[in-house]
Amino acid sequence: MPYRTCQHIKLDGILCGSPALNRKLYCYYHQRVVSRHRRYPGDSPGPNAVTLDPIGDRIDLQMSLSQVISALAIGYIDPKRAMVLLKALKMVSRNLAALENILEL
């Protein structure tokens, strides 16, 4: 039985190819990305709170980074707050790398 595939185009120009969710254009992962990017109201810029989900792996880290960049791009958060969040995400990235090295031993 044929099924629809995710319509997200990866950086290399190839479609994702994962099964799309029912009545959606994207797979579970990419639908999550799209819905998070639409969380911020574009018509109300200002120093609003950005809530990041707990970060347990590199995918979560990438999602959080994407949220901060998106919020900054539309003026939802000020650049100083974005810099603090980006520095915190950099620390998380280093910690995840260290944990991955420990687990490989």
Side-chain angles (χ1 to χ4, degrees):
M1 177 175 176
Y3 58 89
R4 291 177 7 150
T5 57
C6 179
Q7 297 301 299
H8 174 77
I9 300 173
K10 299 186 288 186
L11 293 176
D12 60 5
I14 299 172
L15 285 172
C16 169
S18 295
L21 296 172
N22 287 337
R23 300 183 189 103
K24 302 286 184 183
L25 293 175
Y26 304 105
C27 64
Y28 174 80
Y29 174 77
H30 291 114
Q31 185 63 41
R32 199 171 135 196
V33 171
V34 168
S35 66
R36 285 184 177 186
H37 279 257
R38 293 183 183 152
R39 179 185 300 179
Y40 307 113
D43 58 348
S44 61
N48 296 303
V50 173
T51 305
L52 301 177
D53 294 330
I55 301 170
D57 59 18
R58 295 224 173 254
I59 293 172
D60 295 336
L61 178 64
Q62 186 63 38
M63 293 297 296
S64 295
L65 180 61
S66 181
Q67 283 181 273
V68 172
I69 292 169
S70 178
L72 179 61
I74 65 171
Y76 191 74
I77 59 173
D78 64 292
K80 287 183 182 179
R81 182 168 174 80
M83 286 304 298
V84 169
L85 291 171
L86 292 172
K87 285 181 182 181
L89 290 172
K90 186 175 183 179
M91 283 193 311
V92 170
S93 176
R94 288 180 183 157
N95 289 344
L96 283 174
L99 286 172
E100 288 170 357
N101 287 337
I102 291 170
L103 294 175
E104 288 177 2
L105 296 177

